[in-house]
Amino acid sequence: MRSLSVVITTPPSSYLTITAIDYINCAIDAGIDVVGVFFYQDGVLNASANISIPNDEYQTHKQWQILNEKHGINLHVCITACEKRGLSDELTGEPNGQISLSNISQYFTVSGLGELVELTARADKVVQF
């Protein structure tokens, strides 16, 4: 196996999400090219810019940020799954004149299921958590 794509369907508080992050880090250490990570279903909650995890718990959002910044791994989040869970990438005007900002973290790219197909096609192996 030379390349890997990962699909995340678990929320940030799940032990499977932590396992996925560890799996990706091990793949990187083994010299495997991680083509990208696609977040779907409850996995899109990992992309929330408003997530607040207690300091004494594993900081999944910080680990995704490191994978993106340090290793250049693209983090794709399904926009339809986001919208179903109250996440949006649009700037919208509120009735009171204020602007509502995107609540998706800057480290994630809003995508559709077409991106999942692309990641699957470009990888030797696809793993889902």
Side-chain angles (χ1 to χ4, degrees), residues 2-68:
R2 295 184 196 136
S3 60
L4 171 72
S5 289
V6 180
V7 179
I8 305 293
T9 58
T10 55
S13 59
S14 170
Y15 288 113
L16 283 175
T17 302
I18 298 168
T19 301
I21 293 168
D22 289 342
Y23 186 86
I24 294 167
N25 280 314
C26 287
I28 292 167
D29 291 343
I32 295 170
D33 177 31
V34 180
V35 213
V37 180
F38 189 85
F39 296 83
Y40 190 57
Q41 297 172 341
D42 283 346
V44 300
L45 297 173
N46 286 277
S48 175
N50 301 323
I51 193 167
S52 179
I53 299 174
N55 289 334
D56 62 339
E57 293 182 21
Y58 189 84
Q59 302 297 308
T60 52
H61 62 290
K62 183 66 177 169
Q63 295 305 312
W64 292 124
Q65 177 184 341
I66 290 169
L67 287 170
N68 177 258

Side-chain angles (χ1 to χ4, degrees), residues 57-109:
E57 293 182 21
Y58 189 84
Q59 302 297 308
T60 52
H61 62 290
K62 183 66 177 169
Q63 295 305 312
W64 292 124
Q65 177 184 341
I66 290 169
L67 287 170
N68 177 258
E69 289 182 327
K70 182 177 178 186
H71 301 290
I73 295 176
N74 293 318
L75 307 173
H76 299 276
V77 56
C78 177
I79 188 59
T80 304
C82 282
E83 289 173 349
K84 285 181 180 179
R85 289 159 180 82
L87 298 175
S88 173
D89 68 332
E90 296 180 6
L91 300 177
T92 57
E94 299 293 326
N96 61 6
Q98 293 184 349
I99 295 178
S100 176
L101 300 176
S102 167
N103 55 6
I104 296 176
S105 172
Q106 65 182 356
Y107 303 102
F108 292 79
T109 302

